[in-house]
Every structure is written in C-alpha cells, then in structure tokens.
Amino acid sequence: MITIKEIAKQLNMSTTTVSNVIHGKTGEVSPETQKKVQDFLDKVDYVPNISARNLAQNQSKIIGLALKARADKYENLIMDPFVSELIGGVEETIRNAGYFMMLYISSDTTEIMRHVSTWNVDGLILFGMLDDDGIRVSEKYKKPIVCLDTYSIEGLKHFTNVGLDDEQGTYDMVNYMIVKGHKRIAFLSDNQSGVDLARLNGYKKALADGGLKFKQSDFLKIRPKSDEIQDSLEEICRKAKNFDAIMCVSDLYAVTLIAALTDRGIRVPEDISIAGFDDNMLGQLHRPALTTVHQDVKKKGIVAADTLLKQLNGQKTPNQIKLPTHLVIRDTVRA
Amino acid sequence: MITIKEIAKQLNMSTTTVSNVIHGKTGEVSPETQKKVQDFLDKVDYVPNISARNLAQNQSKIIGLALKARADKYENLIMDPFVSELIGGVEETIRNAGYFMMLYISSDTTEIMRHVSTWNVDGLILFGMLDDDGIRVSEKYKKPIVCLDTYSIEGLKHFTNVGLDDEQGTYDMVNYMIVKGHKRIAFLSDNQSGVDLARLNGYKKALADGGLKFKQSDFLKIRPKSDEIQDSLEEICRKAKNFDAIMCVSDLYAVTLIAALTDRGIRVPEDISIAGFDDNMLGQLHRPALTTVHQDVKKKGIVAADTLLKQLNGQKTPNQIKLPTHLVIRDTVRA
DNA sequence: TTGTACGCGTTATCAA
DNA sequence: TTGATAACGCGTACAA
C-alpha cells in the first residue's frame, strides 16, 4: 500500500506534484516530470486511500441505499425478487458513475441515520419509509435524498420520489377483469398505506367506474409472517368462494395464493381468476402463467440512482417521477 | 456534524478526555467529568467521523462482499433468490458485529481488488471466483478472506471456504430417483466447473452405484442468456423424450424447465420427473411443488460472515466448512 | 486525572 | 512549474 508521500520521497519531489499528475492536472506540471511520475505510478500500482481523501474533501463518494424493513416482513424483504432487482439497478448505476454503494437494512430509522452520518454519505436512496420517518430523516440529514415508492410523507415532500403509477396499474387490471365479465372482485394485500393504498384506490376506482360497489369485506388481508401465513391463507381461501377474481398487490402474493388455492382443489382460472402486480420471474415461470401488471423494477433503481447523481451535480430534479405500468395478459384471469 | 474538538472546546477540556469518555475508558477519567461529557454527548448526539477514525487506526470496519458475475449470467445473478438470501444473511451478521457491508458486483477481478484496497476493507467474502482469480486476489490482498462455494482454486487454498456437500446432495437425489424406478436420468446445468462439477460428480456416482452408465449425451447444457434461453430450452425439451428424469443443478433451472415442458404438453411428473437443488421459494410456491435438495443459503451467508469475524479476531478457522443438505420430497419426481 | 502534540494520507492554499 | 505547509477528525503516547 504505497502512499503519495512515499512516491514523492522516492522520486525526490513534492506530494503536490505527484497528486497533480494523479488527478490529470496537466497544466500544472511539466511534461517531463509528468512522464516520470506516470511511469513510476504504473510500476507500483498506487491505490488512493479513500478515507484520507474523504477526510480532506469532506465527501465520501458513497451513496447509501437504506431499506427500512417492517418488522413483520423482514424475512421476506430480502428474498423478494423486487428488492434484488432494485439493488441490481442501483448498484450498476452508482458504480458506473464512480460512486460506491453501501447497503443498510434496518427497521430502525434512527439507526439508519446514524449509519449514514458516520460515513458522511453523499446521497441517500430511501426505500420503505413511512409515517413519521420522514421528519426524523430530514432533520438529521441535509444532503440529497431520493425516495422510492414513498407516498406523501410529511417532511419528505421536498425530496424527489421515484414511484409508479400504481393507481393506474390496478385500475387497468380491474377494469380488464370487469370487461371479461368478473363481478365479485376482491383485493388482497397486507396493509392499507403507501403503495398498497394507491393500488387499492385504483382498484376501487375501477369498481366504481364499472358500476360495482366496494364492500369492506372485499379487502382480503394477508399476514406474511411465517408463523401466521398458513392460518391467514386458510381464511382467505375460505372467503375465496365469494369471489370471481382476486386482485393481488404483488406477484409474490398472487403466486402464494394460487398455490394455496390449488392445494385446496380450487382451480385458477377456472374457478377463480387471480392477477398479480410486478411481473417478476415468480409469475413468469408460473404455470398457468400469471396475468399481472408490469413494472420495470430495475429501471426504477436506475432512475432513482440517476436522479440522485443529478442532484449531486447540482441539478434540480422534479418532485415526482412516475414510471408507467402496463398489463401483461397471460393465463390466470379467465377470458 | 459536531466534532470531538468542538465538544472539548465547549466543555473547556481536552479532546483526550472527551475521546476517553466516548470509548468508555472509565478508569482514565473522574466520575464527575465523565458525567459532564456524557450529558453533553446525549444532547448533541455526536456521531464519529469514520473516515478520520479509519485513517488514524488504519482499519475500516468494512467487510466487502464481492460477487463475481459471469458475463453470461449477470442479469440472472442479482435476480436469483440465492443471491438475495445470501446477502441477507451476510448483512445481518456483519451489522450485528458492528461492521459495515460494502457490496460490489463485477465480472472483473482486478476491478474488484482495486475497490477493496481503496477502501482498505478489513475482510473479504468472495463469491463466484474461479480459475486464475485466486492467484490474483491473494497477491494483492493480505487480509482475511472467506470464499463461498469455491472449489480448489490455486492460490485460494489457504483461505477458508464455506460450501456445501454438493456431491452428497445430488447423489442422494439421483439415488432416490433410481430407487423410485427411474433409469434414464439426465443432468442439466450451464457449465461443468466448481459447484456444478461437484453436483455432476454426485450424480455420476449415484448412477454408477445404481448400475447405470453415464453417457456424454446425458449432460444437458442450458444457456441462460436471455437471447439464447428459448432456443436452448427448445433443444432440451426435444431431448427430454429420451429420459425418465432430469436432475437440475438449481431450482431456478428446474422451474424454468418445467414451465417449458408444460408449454409443450409434456407433463411433470407423469411424463418426466424433475428435481431441483436449493429449495428456495421458486420451488416451494410451484405446483406441483418441486422435489429438491435443500440447502440453507441464509445460513451459508451467516456462517461465512461469522468465520470472517473470527479471523478478524485472530482466531484460526478450518480450511473447509461444509454445510449439510437434505432431500425435500415433494411432487415432481414420480413415486 | 487531564492536556499537549503528533501522525494517519490526502487535498488545497499560497509562496517561491 | 514546483514545493512547503496547513487542514480534515480522530486516537494515543507521553508529559504534566
């Protein structure tokens, strides 16, 4: 691990000169010395010490990707194909821009913020924030933040959010179900806030526009914790008799539900139609192939990272970026 | 971002004292001053600057998780449930031990090593290394390394490898197939080195022990690149007629294959039996549920991180750690 | 028990 | 065109 100081000593020159060559400030140094340094550099393959650089420049070249895990979903979070696709998109974009990515998963916002400030992280991508988190974050942290799939959180409103046209997505799908003759359509999710709420609203709107009435019992709540999910599915499958179709809030839940239904002799789509949301490999590899709402998760990650990079360069970015969705009609909704 | 220096100034004492209190060196400082500092600390919530600390101590508290992506599989790598489960296990363990995780994905070993040395990473978890990578890595990097699923790579032999009893896993499954009356059994994979080779060997051994002969044509090669996979599957499905069963090297491939077979009217397990390897959600949610070899991927990540942490504490660790596998008999191998 | 002073590797300022 | 030197924030040996 050779240092600039050491190089300067061996070459009988000052650290400034070496540093200038390293940073390509060609105007500041004569061609001869330039070459001399460059040759030496090639020989010893010098690697800068980022800690020292960070200290001197008060920046870190780190972008933090903080995933807030709901306690009841932690085990699922990292397994969800959604998350890994997202990470893939973000990591690639960040790396290509010469930044580094630090991944932090926690259910404790305070902990996340401590982590971020010790490392003097240059920018932050936040996923899974809700309720009062926003205020605490924006109090502590004064650098660029991009949120992902975050709806109207007080205190985060002045940050850019990269999201999806969730409402339109479920609207289109439920509308499609109605057109195909389904009347009793349920909605399945594990909560009613944020993204899930938006998708629920799209579903309700489609019902209303189709002349159907939404009843509280049309909302099916799934409890994803591993010690509750079986009971939860049992209950949902019992209620399934009352419906022609179920709009699920994610592909994961759709596929999980279909498996549970199949185990109980209820056929999809003959007995009941099921649709998902995400269009990930879970549904693509499923047979019958899952009818679902497509979103480009990797793109979401790329756009989020790109937006943050723009902010880091001092550019303004819009308050909301909504990526489109489209229907992927396959085989789990009866035609 | 308050600094120790600033705190010392405001409290009219030296930085040493403040630093001592922060590090709990209670013997060095009187109870009164201790309390005074502590109170102040709580009020301003001081966060240490890690860059400065790293520089002073020549360590980073960072553990690098480097995933080497084969160029032909990059898009699949991050989507594979295997990787996200692994990341989950590693991240959690590292975080609980007070370390930080830096994730780096690349197909270029040199790039990975540059990254690692700039950050002065304290320890490294390496996944997906092969061939000559090992030598280059161990030349550049003199700190603890733990490899994951790495077989006998020259130059990495003196590092601990956390792996699986891959050979036993496929042996057990193929043996089970034979017991159930299958005779013409193929093996499907995308390469024949490392983990895949070990699993192939287990398969061959089971064939031999069952009195069956292995022919070169029993190896089915799948090409996972998105522009080749369809052709590849077409070819494999054509060959499938010649077999009673196919042992797939992963659940992902097993499920992919079953979907392709189903699309062509070939039924599993009635017409052909399929087994996977991994036991991830892909197979669990599949119907018919996938018969597969179980491995605990999250545990693998945890063990790898734990092993590295031990080495960081100066403990010796064994050269090889092999986690067990066991059969999960479900519905895709005909009884 | 407390304080002073220096080093870690880099960048930046300013003088030569 | 080059070189001294100060700063970044922290830890620590050593002096008081």
Side-chain angles (χ1 to χ4, degrees):
Chain A
M1 284 270 44
I2 196 160
T3 69
I4 286 192
K5 202 190 267 181
E6 180 63 23
I7 295 176
K9 202 169 105 188
Q10 292 197 27
L11 252 39
N12 267 322
M13 48 178 78
S14 81
T15 60
T16 313
T17 309
V18 178
S19 173
N20 278 334
V21 174
I22 288 171
H23 291 86
K25 303 195 178 175
T26 56
E28 315 279 309
V29 49
S30 75
E32 316 142 58
T33 34
Q34 210 175 125
K35 180 158 169 28
K36 213 157 62 183
V37 175
Q38 197 57 60
D39 289 348
F40 193 89
L41 241 36
D42 293 340
K43 225 170 36 220
V44 297
D45 83 331
Y46 160 79
V47 177
N49 180 320
I50 296 251
S51 290
R53 180 177 295 175
N54 292 348
L55 190 58
Q57 306 199 133
N58 190 34
Q59 54 131 4
S60 64
K61 284 281 173 184
I62 299 178
I63 288 177
L65 174 58
L67 310 179
K68 168 142 182 197
R70 276 170 45 197
D72 63 336
K73 285 180 83 173
Y74 176 75
E75 40 187 338
N76 293 353
L77 179 72
I78 199 69
M79 292 202 208
D80 194 326
F82 180 90
V83 171
S84 34
E85 253 187 275
L86 194 69
I87 294 178
V90 171
E91 197 272 345
E92 192 180 306
T93 313
I94 288 178
R95 175 158 40 80
N96 289 338
Y99 281 79
F100 305 92
M101 171 176 133
M102 209 158 231
L103 177 64
Y104 206 70
I105 305 174
S106 172
S107 57
D108 179 356
T109 312
T110 315
E111 203 190 357
I112 291 179
M113 294 323 293
R114 286 198 75 75
H115 178 260
V116 158
S117 39
T118 8
W119 281 99
N120 195 18
V121 160
D122 286 346
L124 202 50
I125 298 177
L126 247 38
F127 176 75
M129 296 289 141
L130 25 84
D131 311 333
D132 54 335
D133 288 335
I135 300 152
R136 270 186 287 176
V137 169
S138 55
E139 264 174 6
K140 301 265 178 189
Y141 186 74
K142 302 300 179 192
K143 295 187 186 168
I145 294 183
V146 168
C147 300
L148 269 164
D149 285 342
T150 300
Y151 276 87
S152 67
I153 288 192
E154 211 55 50
L156 282 185
K157 281 198 174 132
H158 55 291
F159 298 124
T160 295
N161 179 54
V162 176
L164 207 63
D165 211 334
D166 293 288
E167 199 170 320
Q168 189 68 41
T170 45
Y171 181 90
D172 290 343
M173 181 60 81
V174 173
N175 184 52
Y176 168 77
M177 288 170 158
I178 294 173
V179 168
K180 292 293 175 185
H182 300 79
K183 297 233 177 290
R184 300 168 305 161
I185 305 173
F187 184 86
L188 180 146
S189 159
D190 60 28
N191 73 90
Q192 292 196 28
S193 61
V195 167
D196 295 66
L197 179 62
R199 294 182 189 174
L200 177 63
N201 285 337
Y203 150 85
K204 284 182 180 171
K205 190 148 175 292
L207 286 189
D209 288 0
L212 301 172
K213 219 166 32 222
F214 170 76
K215 295 193 307 290
Q216 206 41 252
S217 58
D218 293 339
F219 179 82
L220 268 24
K221 185 180 167 72
I222 186 170
R223 298 189 306 279
K225 273 179 86 167
S226 58
D227 57 337
E228 294 186 325
I229 188 145
Q230 287 312 326
D231 288 350
S232 172
L233 285 170
E234 174 65 35
E235 190 187 324
I236 291 166
C237 287
R238 222 181 316 116
K239 291 181 181 166
K241 297 188 214 2
N242 308 323
F243 299 102
D244 303 324
I246 301 179
M247 169 81 234
C248 300
V249 81
S250 69
D251 279 7
L252 176 61
Y253 286 159
V255 172
T256 305
L257 176 60
I258 295 176
L261 290 167
T262 306
D263 292 344
R264 288 161 179 82
I266 304 172
R267 294 162 305 162
V268 175
E270 292 82 355
D271 301 327
I272 189 169
S273 292
I274 305 289
F277 198 119
D278 279 345
D279 190 24
N280 59 34
M281 63 194 322
L282 236 34
Q284 287 158 14
L285 294 175
H286 195 269
R287 291 298 178 273
L290 188 68
T291 295
T292 191
V293 180
H294 176 88
Q295 67 160 315
D296 192 335
V297 178
K298 187 173 178 191
K299 174 114 185 252
K300 213 188 237 177
I302 293 174
V303 169
D306 264 339
T307 308
L308 191 60
L309 290 168
K310 274 187 193 148
Q311 293 183 14
L312 255 21
N313 291 330
Q315 291 177 47
K316 277 271 175 204
T317 58
N319 211 259
Q320 270 285 343
I321 300 180
K322 285 208 174 191
L323 266 35
T325 63
H326 64 258
L327 296 191
V328 180
I329 305 302
R330 291 197 283 240
D331 309 320
T332 55
V333 171
R334 202 171 51 253
Chain B
M1 285 270 41
I2 196 161
T3 68
I4 287 192
K5 200 191 271 179
E6 179 63 22
I7 295 176
K9 201 169 105 188
Q10 293 196 26
L11 252 39
N12 267 323
M13 48 178 74
S14 82
T15 59
T16 312
T17 309
V18 178
S19 173
N20 278 335
V21 173
I22 288 170
H23 291 87
K25 304 197 175 173
T26 57
E28 315 278 309
V29 49
S30 74
E32 317 141 57
T33 33
Q34 211 175 125
K35 180 157 169 28
K36 213 158 61 181
V37 175
Q38 196 58 60
D39 288 349
F40 193 89
L41 240 37
D42 292 340
K43 224 172 35 220
V44 298
D45 83 333
Y46 161 78
V47 177
N49 180 321
I50 297 249
S51 291
R53 180 178 292 174
N54 292 349
L55 190 57
Q57 310 204 129
N58 189 34
Q59 53 132 1
S60 64
K61 285 279 173 185
I62 299 178
I63 288 176
L65 174 59
L67 310 179
K68 168 141 182 199
R70 276 170 45 197
D72 63 335
K73 283 180 86 173
Y74 175 76
E75 40 188 339
N76 293 353
L77 179 72
I78 199 70
M79 292 203 207
D80 194 327
F82 179 90
V83 170
S84 35
E85 254 186 274
L86 194 70
I87 294 178
V90 171
E91 197 273 345
E92 192 179 305
T93 312
I94 287 178
R95 176 158 40 79
N96 289 338
Y99 281 78
F100 305 91
M101 170 176 135
M102 209 157 233
L103 176 66
Y104 206 70
I105 305 173
S106 173
S107 57
D108 179 356
T109 313
T110 314
E111 203 190 358
I112 291 180
M113 293 324 291
R114 286 199 76 76
H115 179 260
V116 158
S117 40
T118 3
W119 281 101
N120 195 16
V121 160
D122 286 347
L124 202 51
I125 298 177
L126 246 37
F127 175 75
M129 295 289 140
L130 26 84
D131 311 330
D132 54 335
D133 289 336
I135 301 151
R136 270 186 287 176
V137 170
S138 55
E139 264 174 6
K140 300 266 180 190
Y141 186 74
K142 300 301 178 192
K143 295 186 185 169
I145 294 184
V146 169
C147 299
L148 268 163
D149 284 342
T150 300
Y151 277 86
S152 68
I153 288 192
E154 211 55 51
L156 282 185
K157 280 197 175 134
H158 54 291
F159 298 124
T160 295
N161 179 54
V162 175
L164 207 65
D165 212 334
D166 292 289
E167 200 170 318
Q168 190 67 42
T170 45
Y171 181 90
D172 291 344
M173 180 60 81
V174 173
N175 184 51
Y176 168 77
M177 286 171 160
I178 294 172
V179 168
K180 291 295 174 183
H182 299 79
K183 298 234 176 290
R184 301 168 304 162
I185 305 173
F187 184 86
L188 180 146
S189 160
D190 59 28
N191 73 89
Q192 292 196 28
S193 61
V195 168
D196 296 66
L197 178 61
R199 294 183 188 172
L200 178 63
N201 286 337
Y203 150 86
K204 284 181 180 171
K205 190 150 174 290
L207 285 190
D209 288 0
L212 300 171
K213 223 174 19 230
F214 170 76
K215 296 194 305 291
Q216 206 41 252
S217 58
D218 293 339
F219 178 82
L220 268 23
K221 184 179 168 71
I222 186 170
R223 299 190 305 278
K225 271 179 87 166
S226 59
D227 58 337
E228 294 186 326
I229 187 144
Q230 287 312 325
D231 288 350
S232 173
L233 285 170
E234 174 66 34
E235 189 187 325
I236 291 165
C237 288
R238 221 180 318 115
K239 291 180 181 166
K241 297 189 214 359
N242 309 323
F243 299 103
D244 302 325
I246 301 178
M247 169 82 234
C248 300
V249 82
S250 70
D251 279 7
L252 177 61
Y253 286 159
V255 171
T256 305
L257 175 60
I258 296 177
L261 290 167
T262 306
D263 292 343
R264 288 162 180 83
I266 304 173
R267 293 163 306 162
V268 175
E270 292 82 357
D271 300 327
I272 189 168
S273 292
I274 305 289
F277 198 118
D278 279 346
D279 189 23
N280 60 33
M281 64 193 322
L282 235 34
Q284 287 158 15
L285 295 175
H286 195 268
R287 290 301 177 271
L290 188 69
T291 296
T292 191
V293 179
H294 176 87
Q295 68 160 315
D296 192 335
V297 177
K298 187 175 178 189
K299 175 113 184 256
K300 212 187 240 179
I302 293 175
V303 169
D306 264 340
T307 308
L308 191 61
L309 290 168
K310 274 187 193 148
Q311 294 184 12
L312 255 20
N313 291 330
Q315 291 177 48
K316 277 269 176 205
T317 58
N319 211 260
Q320 269 286 344
I321 300 180
K322 285 208 174 190
L323 266 35
T325 63
H326 65 258
L327 296 191
V328 180
I329 305 301
R330 291 196 285 239
D331 309 320
T332 54
V333 171
R334 203 171 53 254

